[in-house]
Amino acid sequence: VFGFFVLVLRTANAKQPDTAFLKASVANTVRFYSSSIEGQTLLYTGSEYGTPQTRDDQHPFFLSDDWIYGTVRYRGQDYEHVPLLYDISTGQLVTENYYNAEEIVLVSENLEEFTINDHLFRRIQNEDVSRSLPATGYYEVLYDGPSRTIARHLKTLTEDIESHVVKIGYDEKIRYFLLRNGRYLAIRTRRGMLDALEDQKPALKQFLKKNKLRFRRDPEQTLTKIAAYYDTLIAE
């Protein structure tokens, strides 16, 4: 938006006829730009983010330690093109204050969901699912049908001493869950996945074999496709 705003102003200042159309374009762009920035100031009500420990490529963030522009649903309002960092060691979503470049933690109770590089994360209240999840927090929605599958991304800070020097790192783990009868079941193995969907187990085994799906090799893809296929079977 900012680049377009500058482009229009430069065009307006160039030695070209001062047409009514050009004036209207500049006025509309200024109003749009101003309202976009003003709207995003509602995101800047959280606390200041504390700089985490990092080393080389070791960082606590999801995907990247650089800003990624994504979307946010905050207090029921959708915001687009928002700079985001998702700290999966603390479960905090961070944005940048446009006016002073301060890093702000979005208030989790007001944050319903967000996307980063087409990865959708949704805040799930543990009490709403009979406390079947490790904790209330943001979970990536992998498949959003009746047999919803989600993933919990987590990084844990590690410290090793080498030659009397403390070196930090981050161990990343992903846990998968499948929604059944209002509760989430932790899925760790192929057997656990099939047992959770036991009423269609023979058909699911055939589907796995036909599509050459291996849970150990690609748990996310396998679980997602199995859950979606299961929903088609029970819908028949």
Side-chain angles (χ1 to χ4, degrees):
V1 174
F2 180 71
F4 179 66
F5 178 52
V6 173
L7 176 61
V8 173
L9 288 182
R10 285 179 178 170
T11 304
N13 292 328
K15 293 182 179 179
Q16 294 182 3
D18 187 13
T19 65
F21 173 77
L22 184 57
K23 286 183 177 180
S25 297
V26 172
N28 288 336
T29 302
V30 170
R31 281 195 297 270
F32 174 77
Y33 178 74
S34 299
S35 63
S36 297
I37 296 301
E38 183 180 356
Q40 288 196 10
T41 59
L42 297 176
L43 302 176
Y44 307 150
T45 57
S47 60
E48 184 178 355
Y49 178 64
T51 304
Q53 299 184 64
T54 60
R55 179 179 64 85
D56 300 329
D57 61 343
Q58 296 292 306
H59 59 79
F61 303 106
F62 178 71
L63 295 182
S64 174
D65 59 348
D66 289 329
W67 294 109
I68 299 176
Y69 286 90
T71 63
V72 168
R73 180 169 295 167
Y74 197 74
R75 292 183 177 178
Q77 179 71 37
D78 292 329
Y79 300 88
E80 298 182 352
H81 204 63
V82 180
L84 298 173
L85 286 171
Y86 178 27
D87 185 337
I88 57 176
S89 71
T90 61
Q92 295 176 310
L93 186 67
V94 183
T95 191
E96 184 180 42
N97 188 322
Y98 172 82
Y99 297 101
N100 58 20
E102 185 179 63
E103 296 180 348
I104 301 294
V105 178
L106 275 69
V107 180
S108 60
E109 289 79 7
N110 297 332
L111 179 60
E112 299 169 42
E113 63 183 41
F114 61 92
T115 60
I116 293 182
N117 276 9
D118 296 325
H119 293 266
L120 170 63
F121 288 85
R122 186 173 296 157
R123 188 173 189 270
I124 300 178
Q125 195 77 24
N126 208 9
E127 290 79 1
D128 294 341
V129 290
S130 302
R131 297 187 177 276
S132 54
L133 290 172
T136 293
Y138 310 126
Y139 293 81
E140 183 181 5
V141 179
L142 305 174
Y143 166 66
D144 206 13
S147 301
R148 183 182 302 122
T149 60
I150 61 175
R152 186 190 191 209
H153 297 265
L154 179 66
K155 282 186 178 181
T156 304
L157 176 67
T158 62
E159 296 182 348
D160 294 320
I161 299 178
E162 297 181 10
S163 301
H164 305 288
V165 176
V166 177
K167 294 190 174 183
I168 68 165
Y170 286 92
D171 287 338
E172 184 171 5
K173 293 182 180 180
I174 306 175
R175 293 184 61 187
Y176 299 97
F177 300 87
L178 173 70
L179 184 65
R180 293 288 288 155
N181 302 317
R183 294 176 54 87
Y184 279 101
L185 304 177
I187 305 298
R188 298 182 177 88
T189 63
R190 177 182 184 274
R191 179 177 179 178
M193 177 182 67
L194 292 174
D195 286 348
L197 305 170
E198 190 173 12
D199 57 308
Q200 298 292 334
K201 185 181 288 189
L204 297 179
K205 283 184 175 180
Q206 291 182 357
F207 182 81
L208 288 171
K209 184 176 182 180
K210 179 180 178 181
N211 291 277
K212 299 180 180 179
L213 296 171
R214 301 287 186 271
F215 185 89
R216 182 176 297 180
R217 182 177 62 195
D218 191 346
E220 178 177 319
Q221 191 77 256
T222 301
L223 179 58
T224 301
K225 289 188 175 181
I226 278 291
Y229 182 60
Y230 174 84
D231 285 345
T232 64
L233 293 175
I234 63 175
E236 295 177 354

